[in-house]
Amino acid sequence: MSEYKVLGREDANSIESILADDAIDFGTAVHATQVGGDAIFTWDYERTREGLGKLYERAKTSQWNGSTDLDWSIDVDVEKVAIEMQAAIAQLQERLLSLPNSPLKSWGEEQWTKLAIEAFNWRMSQFLHGEQGALICTAKIVETVPWIDAKYYASTQVMDEARHVEVFARYLDTKLEGHYPVNPALQLLIDDIIADSRWDMTYMGMQIMIEGLALAAFGFMHAFTQEPLLKQLLRYVMSDEARHVAFGVLSLQEYYQGLDGKEIRERQEFAFEAALRMRDRLMMHAVWEQCGIDRKAITRMLFEVKKPGVNPFQAALFSKIVPNCKKLGLLDAGDGWLRDRFTEIGVIEYEDAPDTEVEYALLDAVAQDREAASA
Ligand SMILES: [Fe+2]
Ligand SMILES: [Fe+2]
């Protein structure tokens, strides 16, 4: 694997490195990080990118209002919703429980319920923080992307992300008890994206990687929950997110065509590192710790049950990221470096899952129905 060191680690799966990253404190009141790149003014106002133009038009008519389109009067039975949601990872729990000497063997119903509630709070908290990351990243895209059509579109995404932060914050504040701070693997990735001076890296990190994961996770929760407020909230957010990922794919497909082999390789490495960060983020260390299982023990156990398919959130993540990388030509570019890495971490089997363009068409239909209903 040449001299390349992923995330500066000896080994992508080094438990010590994962735990060291996980111990980083991003502050209690604010976190400041340096923004990289130039603000680009373009004097070319001609509308030449039809695909982006269409997305921009779509975005203008797909705006919804977080305070009036959702029924905030609905009472939420947190325990019930948390348990519904946890059913998504029943198989993973089963596998962790069956490991020899598993500390979970002594758990009774009360502890499993606590885990479900903590995991629910944690997931919603990470969505909230991730949405703020998206808000800041898309504001950065408005500044740094050189194309006028992309500046227009990205500005609509800024508004979308503000709305997403708003609704997740309101759900956490009014329906749940307890927030979690940002997961370090997630914030490390967001900080890298913001620090990078190359404008396309913001798209790669945010629109492809983080929003790819968001779409997958929202889809899961939407499928598992019966709670009407959350279900509606997720549906709305997902129809926006699908458009956001489509924006990323469309922009990068064009831009990558003009890059040379060395530059493409840098994008492959970035994509792989981001994928690992996302994988590490799903380990939910803080939740396990809250439930009395230490970080090192749970990390070991998660590697022992290994196959990413056992964790459906992880499977869903890679079933978005791998096909989107393929669509962008990153999987097989050069000597197929990224294909080899994804093979090594056991996720290459997802390469033919439906990419986001297919999904965008489906989710956008929801937005159209909503418009028709309100017309
Ligand atoms: Fe969002
Ligand atoms: Fe988004």
Side-chain angles (χ1 to χ4, degrees):
M1 200 163 144
S2 74
E3 71 294 348
Y4 172 73
K5 263 192 183 178
V6 62
L7 300 173
R9 295 175 184 175
E10 286 301 329
D11 165 12
N13 296 344
S14 155
I15 292 179
E16 282 66 36
S17 304
I18 292 172
L19 292 175
D21 288 343
D22 196 47
I24 299 172
D25 180 357
F26 286 95
T28 46
V30 291
H31 162 60
T33 193
Q34 198 72 39
V35 182
D38 294 329
I40 304 288
F41 286 75
T42 174
W43 310 127
D44 178 3
Y45 294 100
E46 202 174 331
R47 309 289 302 277
T48 53
R49 293 179 171 83
E50 210 185 310
L52 294 183
K54 272 192 190 146
L55 277 180
Y56 178 51
E57 290 304 317
R58 204 64 213 111
K60 285 192 279 185
T61 56
S62 302
Q63 297 289 313
W64 46 281
N65 186 336
S67 40
T68 54
D69 287 332
L70 294 170
D71 182 1
W72 292 102
S73 71
I74 291 171
D75 273 330
V76 176
D77 179 344
V78 175
E79 189 176 310
K80 184 166 165 272
V81 185
I83 291 171
E84 277 170 1
M85 210 80 81
Q86 206 66 355
I89 64 161
Q91 200 199 352
L92 174 64
Q93 290 186 170
E94 207 54 44
R95 296 282 284 269
L96 291 169
L97 185 60
S98 69
L99 290 172
N101 306 320
S102 172
L104 307 176
K105 287 195 200 299
S106 63
W107 276 24
E109 201 184 318
E110 202 180 312
Q111 274 145 313
W112 288 108
T113 304
K114 178 176 165 61
L115 176 75
I117 293 173
E118 295 297 331
F120 184 29
N121 284 342
W122 181 86
R123 279 188 201 114
M124 296 297 279
S125 300
Q126 300 319 315
F127 290 153
L128 170 70
H129 303 309
E131 294 293 356
Q132 187 184 176
L135 173 65
I136 288 178
C137 282
T138 41
K140 186 188 172 196
I141 290 180
V142 172
E143 292 185 324
T144 56
V145 69
W147 309 333
I148 196 69
D149 289 299
K151 286 185 190 290
Y152 287 165
Y153 179 79
S155 74
T156 68
Q157 191 178 333
V158 173
M159 181 62 213
D160 291 348
E161 305 301 0
R163 184 169 57 236
H164 299 174
V165 178
E166 173 202 339
V167 295
F168 279 108
R170 184 161 175 184
Y171 196 96
L172 274 155
D173 282 341
T174 61
K175 308 295 173 189
L176 300 181
E177 272 170 45
H179 286 44
Y180 275 83
V182 70
N183 171 267
L186 172 61
Q187 191 61 43
L188 282 167
L189 174 56
I190 294 173
D191 282 6
D192 275 353
I193 295 168
I194 291 169
D196 205 297
S197 61
R198 298 160 292 189
W199 65 263
D200 65 295
M201 292 300 200
T202 320
Y203 280 90
M204 165 56 77
M206 181 47 70
Q207 269 80 356
I208 304 299
M209 294 297 172
I210 298 183
E211 300 193 292
L213 169 62
L215 247 189
F218 295 154
F220 246 104
M221 290 177 60
H222 181 267
F224 274 85
T225 187
Q226 299 304 321
E227 198 281 279
L229 171 59
L230 183 61
K231 215 171 167 77
Q232 190 59 276
L233 183 158
L234 290 169
R235 204 72 186 99
Y236 280 177
V237 172
M238 280 164 72
S239 67
D240 291 342
E241 294 303 345
R243 199 169 54 241
H244 302 167
V245 183
F247 170 54
V249 172
L250 206 56
S251 305
L252 294 184
Q253 262 176 334
E254 175 182 339
Y255 186 65
Y256 285 177
Q257 279 169 12
L259 297 186
D260 65 25
K262 181 174 165 285
E263 290 165 326
I264 288 290
R265 170 61 181 270
E266 288 165 3
R267 271 72 187 169
Q268 291 176 313
E269 291 178 1
F270 190 93
F272 183 56
E273 298 206 341
L276 284 177
R277 290 271 188 232
M278 294 286 88
R279 178 202 66 177
D280 294 352
R281 158 204 184 310
L282 288 172
M283 292 183 184
M284 281 195 327
H285 289 131
V287 169
W288 290 103
E289 194 168 68
Q290 190 68 26
C291 296
I293 305 290
D294 104 359
R295 286 165 198 250
K296 198 166 188 172
I298 192 65
T299 311
R300 280 220 186 93
M301 288 163 70
L302 287 167
F303 277 117
E304 258 175 85
V305 298
K306 253 193 282 206
K307 252 188 93 48
V310 175
N311 182 343
F313 281 96
Q314 227 170 66
L317 159 69
F318 286 107
S319 70
K320 296 282 180 289
I321 287 180
V322 182
N324 282 332
C325 285
K326 188 175 186 179
K327 190 162 195 131
L328 292 173
L330 286 183
L331 209 51
D332 291 305
D335 53 1
W337 185 87
L338 191 57
R339 170 177 294 278
D340 293 345
R341 297 293 83 71
F342 280 152
T343 303
E344 278 169 9
I345 61 166
V347 299
I348 197 65
E349 63 189 271
Y350 299 109
E351 66 172 304
D352 294 319
D355 61 61
T356 308
E357 223 160 56
V358 178
E359 209 164 40
Y360 168 63
L362 291 173
L363 288 166
D364 193 52
V366 176
Q368 290 175 18
D369 288 350
R370 193 177 61 233
E371 275 163 34
S374 64

